[in-house]
Amino acid sequence: MNENQKYICNVKVEEIPWNRLTTAYVRATEFPEYFTVIESMSNKKKVKTTLHDILRNIEHQSTLWRATPFTMIFLVRIFQKAVAEMDNNDIAYDIVKELLHFFKLIAELFQETEEYMEKMEMKKEKPLPYFSDMLKEEYLFPEECDNEEDEEMLWEEDVEKFNEQSEYSFYYSIYYYSYQVLLNCNETLKKISNTAIVEQVNKLQKLLY
């Protein structure tokens, strides 16, 4: 197991500065609470609403955000737990169905990125060497700011400049590491035999290699 897989398997939710990670609409500040709600699998309506809130924030119009790869770590853990309980828990089953669809989308977006670079004969972008590199200070939203909208615009410009000067691509890393997390689903997918979702399972498996 390499360092990145160790990180994916062992990082704790409290070790991620969620309040400094951007999503499509808000900071990911409340994501730890969302994970707790979903993982409890105790209130069907609340779980459905909370899961929807997370998914719409970490993917929007084929764009992934800074919070996406880190959120994927905990969604995959929830997925693994839900698969183990889905035969006796309809909430777990709903979670599995929803995440199968979403995971397939994430895998497709990564592969579309790869295919686009190849088609355009672009130089292959390199992800940051370590997953945790995405939490370096230069990539995190400022802890304090007077005008969040103006501050975000200036901050994004700084990140882009830094990215251009680096041999590694921060933006590519978001897609790359989101996909790397998904590879941990392979063994769990093999355990799913429910005929109602086996087609979804097969489609996702074909995208993970």
Side-chain angles (χ1 to χ4, degrees), residues 57-73:
N57 269 286
I58 63 173
E59 185 280 328
H60 178 64
Q61 296 182 348
S62 299
T63 299
L64 305 186
W65 305 80
R66 285 169 173 78
T68 306
F70 298 97
T71 304
M72 289 295 292
I73 291 174

Side-chain angles (χ1 to χ4, degrees), residues 103-115:
F103 289 171
K104 177 175 174 288
L105 173 61
I106 295 297
E108 288 173 340
L109 290 177
F110 171 70
Q111 295 195 4
E112 285 171 10
T113 300
E114 297 280 282
E115 290 168 3

Side-chain angles (χ1 to χ4, degrees), residues 3-43:
E3 288 301 313
N4 286 319
Q5 280 302 316
K6 287 180 182 177
Y7 182 81
I8 291 169
C9 292
N10 297 318
V11 67
K12 298 178 181 177
V13 69
E14 60 268 21
E15 294 174 340
I16 311 296
W18 299 101
N19 62 315
R20 302 184 66 187
L21 296 178
T22 56
T23 74
Y25 299 103
V26 296
R27 301 290 165 266
T29 308
E30 296 182 8
F31 278 25
E33 296 174 26
Y34 290 171
F35 298 143
T36 300
V37 169
I38 300 167
E39 190 172 12
S40 71
M41 305 181 199
S42 58
N43 183 311

Side-chain angles (χ1 to χ4, degrees), residues 169-207:
S169 171
F170 171 73
Y171 298 106
Y172 174 68
S173 297
I174 293 174
Y175 290 78
Y176 175 82
Y177 283 114
S178 294
Y179 180 78
Q180 291 301 305
V181 175
L182 276 182
L183 297 181
N184 286 1
C185 288
N186 275 316
E187 291 304 312
T188 303
L189 291 172
K190 293 175 184 177
K191 299 176 183 178
I192 301 176
S193 57
N194 189 300
T195 55
I197 57 174
V198 70
E199 185 176 349
Q200 282 182 276
V201 171
N202 291 337
K203 287 180 179 179
L204 179 57
Q205 285 178 315
K206 291 177 181 177
L207 293 168

